Amino acid sequence: MKTKSGQLRMMIACLTILALFVTACGAGTNQGQQGGEKSGSDGQEKVKLKFTFWGSPEEKKAVEAAIEAFEKKNPNIDINPVHIPGTDFLQKLNAMIAGNEAPDVSYSAAWKLKMGEEGLIYNFFDLMKDDPSIKKEDYLDYAWWNWDKDKSAGPYQASVVPSLMYNADMFKEAGVDLPPTKAEEAWTWDQFVDAAKKLTLDRNGKHPDDPGFDPKNIKQYGVKFSLGWSSYMPMVLSNGGDYLTKDGKEFGLSKPEATEALQKIADLINVHHVSPSPVQASSIPAPATALQSKKVAMIIDGSWNHLDLSKTKINWGVGVLPVIKDYKTFFLGGSLIIFKSTKHPKEAWEFTKFLTDPQNVLELHQGLWMPQLKKWYEDPKLIDEWANEELPGRPTGFQDAVMRSTYEHAEPSPENNVKNFVEIDTAVSAALDQVWLGEKSAEAAMKEVETKVKPLIQGTYLK
């Protein structure tokens, strides 16, 4: 459920036209009601809701199964699922809004906050006031997408986290110990770099510290470090930095604690030669395939890759992230939004509650997603339902390396905490491209981009 950098640029362009549609949406007719409602077995008219979502074939299958279960439990409601590929999602959603055919309920990304500000979607805090079955404190502490202190686009629908994944056979071949699974035993940054060097080979079988090593002809990288914010921010946090300063008034990534962490990541590419540059990475396949083909030994990327890894026939595992000073990480994820143009807000609310309950989409929580309700991290019986390490998507060590390490060391994710994050991160990502390519130091690049993002800084939502 992650949004790629290309999508973010598209989102910014699309968001500028949203304000034009507020009046139209308020008076619009939901497509689910066109042509009249069906009648239920008791003779009453059935409510029909349109639901837009994205996802892989496996996710689509599981969501449709959850919809079928919801309809059986609620025979007076029909859900019309509209699956839209992620790259086209916002564009098609905007077209629906413009045509007075907005869905009732939808998947969403960071652009939802602008929709909240424009009055297009319901405030979940208002809806919760009339429903004693759920409380804000039931959810993960930082799971909320707020566009103001008392106005929210909802909690995470489900969670994902930054994750270190590896090919265990490659570690055995190199004689390297597997990554630790407990946060208190996490590799230091130097230990991580040392392991990555032993796992990196050029075309002649030499390691980066060997005489004659050829950095221009590497056949096997020790680590592929995803270079987006969701992978570099745990290192920034670990070193005492943050996206913004603690008071939310200044650009945190330009501060020494942050630039030092960013430079360490860049040095994996340009100094130690254990990780591919963006140019080199373009020829490396997706994470699961990269590990399977032994192009890389470790990958630091999102835990959503666990599902794809579970479908491969490789000996893979997970470890805790390396640390610079302290272990820090976060949950991240999208949320379900309810459009104000819906004629059936009560039924839409019931559907969102159902779909955000892990019990109703358990299959997805056994490999792709992680729960957003605290009890699923605290009750041993519930933990066993989704994090049992005999499940294909939950390898040995998962509960310590991924579940507990995140739950016990979680910080706010910048994506749903920093105001104007989409706009700020577009500029930051472009500046960091120069760092990853070795064209500028992290300090110089972040100081330079600070002048661009400073006017956009308006604080945070969750702290």
Side-chain angles (χ1 to χ4, degrees):
M1 293 183 62
K2 287 305 299 164
T3 305
K4 304 298 182 183
S5 60
Q7 281 182 269
L8 292 177
R9 289 190 290 269
M10 177 190 72
M11 290 172 187
I12 295 168
C14 292
L15 285 172
T16 59
I17 65 171
L18 280 174
L20 300 175
F21 304 145
V22 176
T23 303
C25 284
T29 301
N30 186 280
Q31 190 178 41
Q33 284 79 51
Q34 291 181 353
E37 306 285 7
K38 296 180 181 179
S39 295
S41 58
D42 58 0
Q44 294 183 338
E45 286 189 340
K46 296 186 75 171
V47 169
K48 190 165 186 177
L49 302 177
K50 182 165 67 176
F51 169 53
T52 50
F53 68 110
W54 62 72
S56 68
E58 291 292 329
E59 182 172 350
K60 179 176 181 289
K61 180 180 177 181
V63 169
E64 288 173 345
I67 289 172
E68 185 177 350
F70 175 79
E71 290 175 334
K72 286 182 179 179
K73 188 176 180 180
N74 300 270
N76 64 313
I77 304 175
D78 274 346
I79 304 296
N80 173 24
V82 180
H83 180 262
I84 305 171
T87 54
D88 299 327
F89 193 86
L90 184 58
Q91 182 179 6
K92 291 189 177 181
L93 183 61
N94 279 338
M96 290 180 188
I97 295 171
N100 298 332
E101 297 176 349
D104 300 271
V105 181
S106 180
Y107 270 22
S108 66
W111 36 260
K112 79 191 90 197
L113 299 181
K114 178 64 69 174
M115 288 184 172
E117 293 171 352
E118 297 290 351
L120 291 171
I121 60 177
Y122 273 99
N123 175 8
F124 265 60
F125 290 152
D126 287 343
L127 297 173
M128 288 175 65
K129 290 177 183 177
D130 299 322
D131 189 340
S133 68
I134 59 172
K135 303 178 182 64
K136 183 179 178 181
E137 54 266 29
D138 293 341
Y139 293 87
L140 297 171
D141 291 339
Y142 303 121
W144 292 88
W145 283 92
N146 300 343
W147 70 84
D148 210 335
K149 289 184 178 180
D150 59 349
K151 296 177 181 178
S152 179
Y156 292 155
Q157 171 191 347
S159 302
V160 287
V161 302
S163 177
L164 187 157
M165 299 152 278
Y166 61 85
N167 182 322
D169 291 336
M170 296 175 73
F171 274 74
K172 184 177 180 180
E173 292 166 5
V176 179
D177 291 338
L178 296 177
T181 58
K182 297 182 183 293
E184 58 270 23
E185 299 172 0
W187 276 334
T188 64
W189 188 261
D190 288 343
Q191 290 172 325
F192 168 63
V193 172
D194 183 61
K197 286 181 177 180
K198 293 175 181 176
L199 292 160
T200 299
L201 296 170
D202 70 6
R203 295 293 178 186
N204 296 314
K206 293 181 180 292
H207 302 286
D209 287 341
D210 292 339
F213 173 78
D214 186 356
K216 294 183 179 179
N217 288 287
I218 298 175
K219 71 173 183 179
Q220 175 183 304
Y221 287 97
V223 61
K224 183 178 183 295
F225 207 107
S226 175
L227 298 174
W229 66 268
S230 63
S231 293
Y232 70 67
M233 276 306 299
M235 299 302 102
V236 170
L237 292 167
S238 175
N239 203 40
D242 209 337
Y243 204 88
L244 300 184
T245 54
K246 287 185 178 180
D247 60 10
K249 295 180 179 180
E250 296 181 53
F251 184 50
L253 291 183
S254 66
K255 305 304 178 186
E257 298 83 358
T259 57
E260 181 182 18
L262 294 170
Q263 191 62 55
K264 285 180 180 293
I265 296 171
D267 288 349
L268 294 175
I269 301 168
N270 303 302
V271 176
H272 305 301
H273 306 294
V274 298
S275 188
S277 71
V279 175
Q280 294 161 334
S282 64
S283 63
I284 294 177
T289 305
L291 290 177
Q292 185 175 28
S293 62
K294 296 187 176 182
K295 296 290 186 183
V296 296
M298 295 182 285
I299 287 179
I300 293 181
D301 203 336
S303 62
W304 54 86
N305 289 291
H306 295 176
L307 178 64
D308 289 340
L309 282 164
S310 72
K311 306 296 181 182
T312 64
K313 296 181 179 180
I314 62 172
N315 183 16
W316 69 285
V318 291
V320 288
L321 301 168
V323 299
I324 300 176
K325 291 180 181 177
D326 301 306
Y327 198 92
K328 301 287 185 182
T329 186
F330 44 77
F331 292 98
L332 58 150
S335 70
L336 296 173
I337 54 176
I338 301 175
F339 280 87
K340 285 188 175 180
S341 56
T342 180
K343 291 184 177 181
H344 305 288
K346 179 180 178 181
E347 289 80 5
W349 172 247
E350 290 301 320
F351 179 57
T352 62
K353 285 202 305 176
F354 183 90
L355 207 56
T356 53
D357 184 342
Q359 194 69 62
N360 299 321
V361 280
L362 193 57
E363 180 183 350
L364 286 173
H365 284 81
Q366 293 174 337
L368 180 65
W369 294 344
M370 295 172 64
Q372 75 292 343
L373 294 165
K374 290 180 180 178
K375 64 182 181 181
W376 287 80
Y377 296 85
E378 299 169 350
D379 185 331
K381 292 183 179 179
L382 293 178
I383 290 173
D384 190 61
E385 288 194 45
W386 72 276
N388 187 305
E389 293 177 1
E390 293 183 1
L391 293 166
R394 304 304 185 208
T396 301
F398 173 85
Q399 291 189 21
D400 283 329
V402 181
M403 184 189 75
R404 293 190 184 93
S405 68
T406 307
Y407 188 62
E408 295 172 3
H409 300 273
E411 295 286 324
S413 159
E415 183 182 42
N416 67 322
N417 182 37
V418 175
K419 295 181 179 180
N420 293 325
F421 176 77
V422 172
E423 294 88 339
I424 294 172
D425 199 59
T426 298
V428 171
S429 296
L432 283 174
D433 282 344
Q434 301 173 80
V435 180
W436 311 141
L437 291 170
E439 297 171 354
K440 289 184 179 179
S441 69
E443 180 181 11
M446 292 300 94
K447 284 294 184 183
E448 183 177 307
V449 78
E450 185 173 26
T451 59
K452 296 180 181 180
V453 304
K454 194 171 183 178
L456 296 170
I457 294 175
Q458 297 180 7
T460 58
Y461 293 111
L462 303 176
K463 284 187 175 181

